Amino acid sequence: MQETFSTQTRHGIEFPGERMEILFVHGAGGYQDDLPLAEELHTRLGLPVTTPRFPDADMSAAGWRSEIERHRNTLAPDLVIVGHSFGASMALLHLADEFQGTPPLGLVLLAMPFWGSEGWQAEYTLPADAKLPTGFPVWLHHCVDDEVVPIDHLDRHAARLPQAQVRRHTSGGHQFEGRMAAVAGDVGTLAG
C-alpha cells in the first residue's frame, strides 16, 4: 500500500525545469500517523508526494533500504527524500553507506534517532566512514519538545554531519505540529 498525493496545480509556486517529486519515508509503525505530514508537504508545495507503507514485520535496515531503493527507481530523477524518525535514519543510511547511482536532490530528515550508543541497535548505526556526496544538501529538523526522540539526538547528528543545515524548533513534538511550513520551505529550495 502507498499513498500518492498529486495534483495538476502548483498552488502558485513556480518550479523551473523538471517537476520535482518527494519520496516520504514514514517512521517505524507510523504509516498512518505520518500521512498528515506527507499530505501537508503536498498541499504546501503542490508537488507529488509518494508515501509507501514500509513493512512493520521487517524492521531490518536491509529491508527498509531495499524498499527505499525500489521506490526511488519508480520516481522522477528530480527527487527529494523526506524521512521521519526511523524512516529518516533509514534514508540517511541508504544514501551514505556504499550508495550507487545518482543521488536525490537532497535529504530532509525529521526527528531522526541517533543509533549506535546507549543501547540503540547497531544495525541502524551510520558507519563511521560513511560519506554523503560532496555538497549534498541535508536538513535536520527536530522539535525541542519531542518526547519520542530526545533533542540531544539532533546535536549528535549535527556533529556527525557538519554539512547539514540544522533546524531546531521550539515546539511541535514528534509529529511536527505547526512546523511543516519550515520543512516545506527547505524542500522548496531544492526546486531551483
Side-chain angles (χ1 to χ4, degrees), residues 45-60:
L45 296 169
L47 295 171
V49 178
T50 299
T51 309
R53 184 177 198 135
F54 289 83
D56 294 334
D58 181 3
M59 292 302 299
S60 71

PDB file of all heavy atoms in Angstrom, residues 45-60:
ATOM      1  N   LEU A  45       3.451  22.615  -1.163  1.00  0.00           N
ATOM      2  CA  LEU A  45       4.347  22.747  -2.311  1.00  0.00           C
ATOM      3  C   LEU A  45       3.683  22.443  -3.654  1.00  0.00           C
ATOM      4  O   LEU A  45       4.228  22.797  -4.697  1.00  0.00           O
ATOM      5  CB  LEU A  45       5.566  21.835  -2.127  1.00  0.00           C
ATOM      6  CG  LEU A  45       6.467  22.187  -0.950  1.00  0.00           C
ATOM      7  CD1 LEU A  45       7.463  21.074  -0.696  1.00  0.00           C
ATOM      8  CD2 LEU A  45       7.169  23.509  -1.206  1.00  0.00           C
ATOM      9  N   GLY A  46       2.556  21.753  -3.629  1.00  0.00           N
ATOM     10  CA  GLY A  46       1.908  21.381  -4.881  1.00  0.00           C
ATOM     11  C   GLY A  46       2.701  20.370  -5.685  1.00  0.00           C
ATOM     12  O   GLY A  46       2.569  20.288  -6.903  1.00  0.00           O
ATOM     13  N   LEU A  47       3.529  19.598  -5.020  1.00  0.00           N
ATOM     14  CA  LEU A  47       4.366  18.592  -5.673  1.00  0.00           C
ATOM     15  C   LEU A  47       3.835  17.195  -5.364  1.00  0.00           C
ATOM     16  O   LEU A  47       3.264  16.975  -4.300  1.00  0.00           O
ATOM     17  CB  LEU A  47       5.808  18.686  -5.163  1.00  0.00           C
ATOM     18  CG  LEU A  47       6.558  19.968  -5.495  1.00  0.00           C
ATOM     19  CD1 LEU A  47       7.883  20.011  -4.739  1.00  0.00           C
ATOM     20  CD2 LEU A  47       6.787  20.074  -6.987  1.00  0.00           C
ATOM     21  N   PRO A  48       4.068  16.258  -6.264  1.00  0.00           N
ATOM     22  CA  PRO A  48       3.692  14.875  -5.956  1.00  0.00           C
ATOM     23  C   PRO A  48       4.508  14.343  -4.774  1.00  0.00           C
ATOM     24  O   PRO A  48       5.723  14.534  -4.720  1.00  0.00           O
ATOM     25  CB  PRO A  48       4.036  14.097  -7.231  1.00  0.00           C
ATOM     26  CG  PRO A  48       4.243  15.124  -8.291  1.00  0.00           C
ATOM     27  CD  PRO A  48       4.633  16.389  -7.617  1.00  0.00           C
ATOM     28  N   VAL A  49       3.822  13.698  -3.843  1.00  0.00           N
ATOM     29  CA  VAL A  49       4.466  13.094  -2.685  1.00  0.00           C
ATOM     30  C   VAL A  49       4.039  11.627  -2.648  1.00  0.00           C
ATOM     31  O   VAL A  49       2.861  11.327  -2.545  1.00  0.00           O
ATOM     32  CB  VAL A  49       4.060  13.790  -1.364  1.00  0.00           C
ATOM     33  CG1 VAL A  49       4.715  13.099  -0.170  1.00  0.00           C
ATOM     34  CG2 VAL A  49       4.419  15.268  -1.397  1.00  0.00           C
ATOM     35  N   THR A  50       5.009  10.734  -2.736  1.00  0.00           N
ATOM     36  CA  THR A  50       4.742   9.303  -2.646  1.00  0.00           C
ATOM     37  C   THR A  50       5.131   8.838  -1.254  1.00  0.00           C
ATOM     38  O   THR A  50       6.244   9.098  -0.792  1.00  0.00           O
ATOM     39  CB  THR A  50       5.544   8.536  -3.713  1.00  0.00           C
ATOM     40  OG1 THR A  50       5.127   8.992  -4.996  1.00  0.00           O
ATOM     41  CG2 THR A  50       5.319   7.036  -3.610  1.00  0.00           C
ATOM     42  N   THR A  51       4.188   8.153  -0.598  1.00  0.00           N
ATOM     43  CA  THR A  51       4.400   7.677   0.761  1.00  0.00           C
ATOM     44  C   THR A  51       4.127   6.176   0.806  1.00  0.00           C
ATOM     45  O   THR A  51       3.013   5.749   1.065  1.00  0.00           O
ATOM     46  CB  THR A  51       3.458   8.409   1.748  1.00  0.00           C
ATOM     47  OG1 THR A  51       3.586   9.810   1.551  1.00  0.00           O
ATOM     48  CG2 THR A  51       3.799   8.076   3.188  1.00  0.00           C
ATOM     49  N   PRO A  52       5.143   5.360   0.532  1.00  0.00           N
ATOM     50  CA  PRO A  52       4.930   3.911   0.590  1.00  0.00           C
ATOM     51  C   PRO A  52       4.769   3.444   2.027  1.00  0.00           C
ATOM     52  O   PRO A  52       5.291   4.061   2.958  1.00  0.00           O
ATOM     53  CB  PRO A  52       6.208   3.328  -0.006  1.00  0.00           C
ATOM     54  CG  PRO A  52       7.111   4.453  -0.298  1.00  0.00           C
ATOM     55  CD  PRO A  52       6.490   5.724   0.146  1.00  0.00           C
ATOM     56  N   ARG A  53       4.043   2.352   2.187  1.00  0.00           N
ATOM     57  CA  ARG A  53       3.918   1.740   3.513  1.00  0.00           C
ATOM     58  C   ARG A  53       5.030   0.701   3.653  1.00  0.00           C
ATOM     59  O   ARG A  53       5.041  -0.306   2.963  1.00  0.00           O
ATOM     60  CB  ARG A  53       2.566   1.088   3.689  1.00  0.00           C
ATOM     61  CG  ARG A  53       2.395   0.530   5.084  1.00  0.00           C
ATOM     62  CD  ARG A  53       1.016  -0.063   5.296  1.00  0.00           C
ATOM     63  NE  ARG A  53       0.795  -0.178   6.721  1.00  0.00           N
ATOM     64  CZ  ARG A  53      -0.295   0.171   7.337  1.00  0.00           C
ATOM     65  NH1 ARG A  53      -1.298   0.664   6.656  1.00  0.00           N
ATOM     66  NH2 ARG A  53      -0.403   0.032   8.629  1.00  0.00           N
ATOM     67  N   PHE A  54       5.963   0.974   4.559  1.00  0.00           N
ATOM     68  CA  PHE A  54       7.057   0.053   4.800  1.00  0.00           C
ATOM     69  C   PHE A  54       6.581  -1.038   5.754  1.00  0.00           C
ATOM     70  O   PHE A  54       5.768  -0.781   6.639  1.00  0.00           O
ATOM     71  CB  PHE A  54       8.276   0.796   5.363  1.00  0.00           C
ATOM     72  CG  PHE A  54       8.941   1.653   4.333  1.00  0.00           C
ATOM     73  CD1 PHE A  54       8.476   2.924   4.052  1.00  0.00           C
ATOM     74  CD2 PHE A  54      10.019   1.167   3.616  1.00  0.00           C
ATOM     75  CE1 PHE A  54       9.073   3.707   3.080  1.00  0.00           C
ATOM     76  CE2 PHE A  54      10.632   1.952   2.639  1.00  0.00           C
ATOM     77  CZ  PHE A  54      10.157   3.221   2.371  1.00  0.00           C
ATOM     78  N   PRO A  55       7.085  -2.265   5.586  1.00  0.00           N
ATOM     79  CA  PRO A  55       6.573  -3.389   6.366  1.00  0.00           C
ATOM     80  C   PRO A  55       6.937  -3.300   7.847  1.00  0.00           C
ATOM     81  O   PRO A  55       8.092  -3.095   8.188  1.00  0.00           O
ATOM     82  CB  PRO A  55       7.225  -4.606   5.711  1.00  0.00           C
ATOM     83  CG  PRO A  55       8.445  -4.070   5.034  1.00  0.00           C
ATOM     84  CD  PRO A  55       8.135  -2.654   4.652  1.00  0.00           C
ATOM     85  N   ASP A  56       5.927  -3.472   8.686  1.00  0.00           N
ATOM     86  CA  ASP A  56       6.170  -3.498  10.135  1.00  0.00           C
ATOM     87  C   ASP A  56       6.840  -4.803  10.548  1.00  0.00           C
ATOM     88  O   ASP A  56       7.540  -4.856  11.555  1.00  0.00           O
ATOM     89  CB  ASP A  56       4.855  -3.357  10.899  1.00  0.00           C
ATOM     90  CG  ASP A  56       4.202  -2.005  10.692  1.00  0.00           C
ATOM     91  OD1 ASP A  56       4.924  -1.035  10.405  1.00  0.00           O
ATOM     92  OD2 ASP A  56       2.964  -1.917  10.814  1.00  0.00           O
ATOM     93  N   ALA A  57       6.636  -5.854   9.758  1.00  0.00           N
ATOM     94  CA  ALA A  57       7.182  -7.169  10.110  1.00  0.00           C
ATOM     95  C   ALA A  57       8.694  -7.240   9.904  1.00  0.00           C
ATOM     96  O   ALA A  57       9.379  -7.977  10.596  1.00  0.00           O
ATOM     97  CB  ALA A  57       6.496  -8.255   9.292  1.00  0.00           C
ATOM     98  N   ASP A  58       9.215  -6.482   8.957  1.00  0.00           N
ATOM     99  CA  ASP A  58      10.654  -6.497   8.686  1.00  0.00           C
ATOM    100  C   ASP A  58      11.235  -5.139   9.042  1.00  0.00           C
ATOM    101  O   ASP A  58      11.203  -4.201   8.252  1.00  0.00           O
ATOM    102  CB  ASP A  58      10.932  -6.814   7.211  1.00  0.00           C
ATOM    103  CG  ASP A  58      12.423  -6.869   6.890  1.00  0.00           C
ATOM    104  OD1 ASP A  58      13.257  -6.721   7.819  1.00  0.00           O
ATOM    105  OD2 ASP A  58      12.755  -7.051   5.708  1.00  0.00           O
ATOM    106  N   MET A  59      11.778  -5.044  10.237  1.00  0.00           N
ATOM    107  CA  MET A  59      12.361  -3.788  10.693  1.00  0.00           C
ATOM    108  C   MET A  59      13.876  -3.778  10.483  1.00  0.00           C
ATOM    109  O   MET A  59      14.587  -2.984  11.081  1.00  0.00           O
ATOM    110  CB  MET A  59      12.032  -3.561  12.172  1.00  0.00           C
ATOM    111  CG  MET A  59      10.568  -3.298  12.425  1.00  0.00           C
ATOM    112  SD  MET A  59       9.938  -1.872  11.521  1.00  0.00           S
ATOM    113  CE  MET A  59      10.944  -0.569  12.194  1.00  0.00           C
ATOM    114  N   SER A  60      14.372  -4.642   9.608  1.00  0.00           N
ATOM    115  CA  SER A  60      15.806  -4.672   9.351  1.00  0.00           C
ATOM    116  C   SER A  60      16.214  -3.470   8.506  1.00  0.00           C
ATOM    117  O   SER A  60      15.444  -2.989   7.670  1.00  0.00           O
ATOM    118  CB  SER A  60      16.199  -5.965   8.626  1.00  0.00           C
ATOM    119  OG  SER A  60      15.730  -5.956   7.290  1.00  0.00           O
TER     120      SER A  60
END
